[in-house]
Amino acid sequence: MHWADKLAQKVEGAQIINDSKTPSGRVHVGALRGVLIHDAIYRALRDRGLPARYLFGVDDYDPLDELPLGHEAFYREWLGAPLCNVPAPPGSEASDVAEHFIGEFFEIFDELGVRAERYRMRDVYRSGRFNESIDVILRNADAVRKAYLEVSGSRRPEDWYPFHAICERCGRIDSTTVTAYADGQVTYTCRAKTGDGSSCDFTARTSPFDGRGKLPWKLEWVAKWRVFGVTIEGAGKDHTTRGGSRDVAARCLREIFGGPPPLNVPYEFFLFGGAKMSSSRGVGATARNVADVLPPEILRFLMIRTAPNRPVEFAAERDQIVKLYNEFDRYHQRAHGEPTVREAEKRAYQLSLIEPELAQGHYYTASFQIILTLLKLPHLDVATEMEKRKGSPLTDHERRDLECRLACARQWVQNFGDEEDRASVQERLPASARELSDLQRGFLRVLAQRVEGVSADGWTEEQLQAQLFDAARLTPIPPNDGFKAVYRAFLDCGSGPRGGTLFAFLGRQFVIDRLREVPFSTRRFWEASAVAEADLLDWVRAQRERIRDAEASLELDAEADAPLGALEVAFTFVDERRHLRRVLLEPPQTQTGSRAQVRRAFEDRARECAARLAGEGGLPIRFRAGASAP
């Protein structure tokens, strides 16, 4: 059972879910975890048949306590003022800074299918909805001070009252201290520092009602729970530790109003690239940035497939984003095509859909990795290529899904990709290909020979990917070094998509010609790839149990000024994979004879070397006549 359904089974009757956000800057993507956790709970309750409402508040009466990134100079004079009283950034059409930042966030709500009822704290305070709660809390300030001390160990002075008045002189709300409450008025002093370094030092009496100030957020939590009738509200783990904010608020609710706190759903942080995020400090990606590179269903999936008490980590690096798309597509396939799929997986997929009631059933999803590859091939029509892979025309829904993924891929390349991700197939051999090592050049020549043997009908990404790995073992070269050579020759960069996929979308002859176009020297390649006979013998002994058979041959570069010979041994492992090792041969004492004589001399040395390897390695090695290097 999915975690949201388990939670829904614990409650009965009508439920009111609440969540909120302080819009102090562009909202980071981590804030969406709480939003979507609460939304999954709301959907699970509704699916169970329970009446439920999902409320989401804008905490725009909180003070501007940090300077929004990129606007530091503009906002310095507004520090400490309620967000709703602070102007929007220059050029913005919003009424204030809170509306400026929350507007973008709410756009993402709509895209994600979050249908929460939105409220703003400015309206709650100014309308008087909190007046009664404020009065009760201030009259029970001693109980609040006791809760702070006993629950969190935080001691408040005897004349401290839980309220922040808006200073009538400087307009700040974060620098006022209330020291008395009587006859429906609070006495406060403002200690705000002014621009010249002096203190405001304004003291006055004022009504705490109708928006003239606000409760500290722990007590504001209490007022929300009581006034809105909240029954479920989760919080991040920084608020739900033992003795933390949630415990203080719960204690105050019980002591002052005599009711139980809402059901808590503690949730771990969302880590972007391993870091907890802050919108004001610019740490991590904004919700808008990530929503632009993940379709709504996949962004929901990222946030709610994992139980709230486990952290979610994500980085917009190529491998991780491709993995996320692939995982969502697997859930999609299982939900529609596997009768034995785990119910929790099917439910995670269902809760990820924007409008489950309008779900399309099974449809073809375009691989995000393939889409990223096709962006490097602007001469191809993506929809046409996807129809080839599907084997039939795309439906209207499949085309819309493809267009969404294409837009996300372009945004990813622009916002998160590096220069290599933006590279495309080069019409001519890049000049940088001449910087490839002799071993990499040899790999490309071996690869050319391998792909020449692939027919047009067999020109598929899986077949070509297999040829890439075969060529690496037959060079031999570490596969990554070989792939880098391919990317350099075709894309003029050091990394790229799956090589077989890239080749599959390129013309067969174009691939072969480009591989052979890289300058190549047999002698330098052999010298770079050869191993000493003793080292080869050690390798044979280490791999003996995995080797099924071996065949040796003499290869001769007879066109060189000084002929060069090499013993090449092709080993076939029990898994059918072939590996090649090469040993350079001692040249004949005299090289003035005929070509046939030189060959015979090299062949004698090759046979002797093969015999030593067979005898000392305990491995039968067949010897066949070789050929001159091409």
Side-chain angles (χ1 to χ4, degrees):
M1 184 179 291
H2 189 267
W3 63 262
D5 294 315
K6 291 179 181 177
L7 187 145
Q9 295 292 331
K10 296 179 180 179
V11 300
E12 296 293 340
Q15 301 294 316
I16 295 180
I17 304 163
N18 185 64
D19 192 15
S20 63
K21 176 62 184 171
T22 301
S24 57
R26 292 192 73 190
V27 182
H28 61 69
V29 66
L32 284 174
R33 189 168 197 208
V35 172
L36 291 171
I37 283 173
H38 288 99
D39 186 67
I41 296 169
Y42 170 69
R43 292 188 178 196
L45 292 169
R46 297 289 296 267
D47 289 346
R48 192 184 160 210
L50 296 179
R53 296 173 62 198
Y54 178 14
L55 312 180
F56 191 92
V58 182
D59 292 332
D60 54 2
Y61 238 47
D62 287 359
L64 178 70
D65 55 5
E66 291 187 60
L67 298 172
L69 188 68
H71 301 285
E72 292 84 354
F74 179 79
Y75 282 110
R76 198 170 304 280
E77 65 176 294
W78 294 97
L79 277 172
L83 289 166
C84 60
N85 292 347
V86 177
S92 172
E93 297 181 358
S95 59
D96 52 76
V97 70
E99 286 300 296
H100 173 77
F101 288 122
I102 205 65
E104 180 181 84
F105 199 43
F106 281 156
E107 287 177 3
I108 299 169
F109 274 44
D110 296 336
E111 295 168 15
L112 294 174
V114 176
R115 307 292 181 241
E117 303 172 37
R118 306 165 189 176
Y119 64 89
R120 289 161 172 77
M121 291 308 297
R122 72 178 85 182
D123 299 329
V124 174
Y125 277 110
R126 291 170 180 172
S127 68
R129 289 188 70 187
F130 272 11
N131 285 355
E132 180 186 357
S133 295
I134 291 171
D135 175 62
V136 174
I137 289 170
L138 287 173
R139 286 191 285 106
N140 287 274
D142 56 341
V144 175
R145 291 190 288 266
K146 183 178 180 182
Y148 270 69
L149 179 61
E150 294 183 354
V151 176
S152 67
S154 177
R155 185 179 297 277
R156 294 290 190 270
E158 289 300 315
D159 62 349
W160 175 84
Y161 283 77
F163 191 78
H164 297 294
I166 299 175
C167 179
E168 296 161 88
R169 173 181 288 175
C170 69
R172 292 186 63 155
I173 198 172
D174 68 334
S175 54
T176 58
T177 301
V178 172
T179 55
Y181 177 59
D183 301 324
Q185 290 192 317
V186 293
T187 301
Y188 73 90
T189 300
C190 179
R191 301 297 185 188
K193 296 296 182 181
T194 61
D196 60 6
S198 61
S199 179
C200 179
D201 287 333
F202 183 74
T203 298
R205 295 186 73 219
T206 188
S207 167
F209 307 129
D210 300 329
R212 293 179 178 84
K214 72 181 295 291
L215 294 163
W217 69 272
K218 295 183 185 70
L219 280 304
E220 190 172 86
W221 225 349
V222 172
K224 287 181 183 180
W225 293 344
R226 179 173 179 271
V227 172
F228 301 152
V230 178
T231 60
I232 300 174
E233 180 167 359
K237 82 171 200 179
D238 49 343
H239 300 312
T240 55
T241 55
R242 185 178 179 83
S245 307
R246 174 79 184 209
D247 283 353
V248 172
R251 170 72 171 271
C252 288
L253 180 70
R254 291 190 184 96
E255 292 293 325
I256 298 173
F257 295 103
L263 176 64
N264 189 16
V265 187
Y267 53 86
E268 278 277 359
F269 294 130
F270 180 93
L271 304 175
F272 188 88
K276 179 177 177 286
M277 289 165 288
S278 165
S279 55
S280 57
R281 292 185 289 113
V283 178
T286 67
R288 180 74 272 165
N289 289 154
V290 177
D292 283 342
V293 300
L294 295 178
E297 295 88 352
I298 297 182
L299 182 48
R300 288 184 64 95
F301 175 74
L302 172 65
M303 295 293 183
I304 66 175
R305 64 173 168 165
T306 303
N309 61 355
R310 292 170 53 197
V312 173
E313 295 189 30
F314 177 70
E317 297 171 356
R318 170 187 285 271
D319 290 347
Q320 287 212 33
I321 197 167
V322 168
K323 180 181 177 182
L324 176 62
Y325 272 83
N326 289 345
E327 287 180 352
F328 177 80
D329 290 347
R330 280 195 294 272
Y331 274 55
H332 169 79
Q333 293 286 345
R334 291 171 183 168
H336 295 292
E338 294 185 17
T340 59
V341 65
R342 291 175 54 201
E343 185 59 33
E345 289 187 4
K346 185 175 182 179
R347 186 63 169 149
Y349 171 76
Q350 292 171 341
L351 289 171
S352 299
L353 300 178
I354 305 306
E355 296 179 317
E357 65 278 7
L358 301 179
Q360 295 291 317
H362 177 69
Y363 59 90
Y364 177 79
T365 56
S367 162
F368 192 69
Q369 186 174 30
I370 299 298
I371 290 174
L372 289 176
T373 301
L374 286 169
L375 289 181
K376 297 180 176 297
L377 305 166
H379 63 287
L380 295 179
D381 179 72
V382 177
T384 299
E385 295 302 320
M386 289 304 169
E387 288 183 334
K388 291 178 183 177
R389 297 176 69 84
K390 179 189 175 186
S392 62
L394 299 177
T395 66
D396 290 344
H397 181 77
E398 288 167 345
R399 281 188 173 273
R400 288 193 296 271
D401 185 69
L402 173 60
E403 290 168 1
C404 177
R405 292 191 175 202
L406 262 173
C408 289
R410 292 189 179 103
Q411 286 289 329
W412 179 83
V413 170
Q414 177 180 337
N415 293 330
F416 296 101
D418 54 27
E419 184 177 355
E420 294 177 350
D421 293 311
R422 291 186 283 273
S424 58
V425 171
Q426 303 295 295
E427 294 183 6
R428 300 178 182 277
L429 179 69
S432 60
R434 300 183 183 278
E435 301 171 4
L436 294 174
S437 69
D438 292 316
L439 192 58
Q440 289 175 310
R441 293 166 187 254
F443 165 77
L444 296 180
R445 188 57 57 97
V446 173
L447 181 57
Q449 295 169 347
R450 299 292 303 178
V451 299
E452 278 181 316
V454 178
S455 67
D457 291 341
W459 196 258
T460 65
E461 57 191 83
E462 295 304 326
Q463 177 65 253
L464 295 167
Q465 189 72 7
Q467 297 303 327
L468 280 157
F469 280 103
D470 284 347
R473 289 188 292 269
L474 295 173
T475 300
I477 188 175
N480 281 344
D481 291 348
F483 297 155
K484 288 178 181 178
V486 169
Y487 301 138
R488 183 59 59 194
F490 286 84
L491 303 174
D492 194 20
C493 63
S495 65
R498 197 166 178 253
T501 304
L502 177 65
F503 285 179
F505 287 117
L506 296 173
R508 180 176 180 276
Q509 197 57 50
F510 176 81
V511 172
I512 294 170
D513 291 345
R514 178 59 57 87
L515 291 172
R516 287 193 170 276
E517 190 178 356
V518 177
F520 169 79
S521 164
T522 298
R523 177 177 290 266
R524 290 199 296 270
F525 168 48
W526 285 359
E527 290 173 345
S529 60
V531 297
E533 182 179 329
D535 292 336
L536 178 54
L537 179 59
D538 290 341
W539 183 85
V540 168
R541 288 168 174 162
Q543 303 293 333
R544 179 66 187 88
E545 297 302 317
R546 302 174 62 194
I547 298 173
R548 191 186 70 195
D549 59 53
E551 183 178 76
S553 65
L554 167 67
E555 301 299 325
L556 186 63
D557 183 11
E559 300 301 324
D561 294 337
L564 181 67
L567 173 71
E568 291 188 351
V569 187
F571 299 91
T572 303
F573 280 25
V574 293
D575 61 5
E576 299 299 330
R577 293 176 178 175
R578 299 182 71 229
H579 300 253
L580 187 137
R581 292 296 184 270
R582 182 178 291 110
V583 176
L584 296 182
L585 300 170
E586 185 74 22
Q589 292 182 351
T590 176
Q591 300 185 29
T592 58
S594 67
R595 179 176 296 184
Q597 290 173 324
V598 171
R599 169 175 288 281
R600 282 195 297 272
F602 271 116
E603 187 168 324
D604 289 342
R605 284 161 172 72
R607 290 183 182 276
E608 292 169 1
C609 181
R612 287 193 296 272
L613 289 171
E616 297 182 36
L619 176 71
I621 298 178
R622 299 187 308 279
F623 190 90
R624 65 174 177 82
S628 297

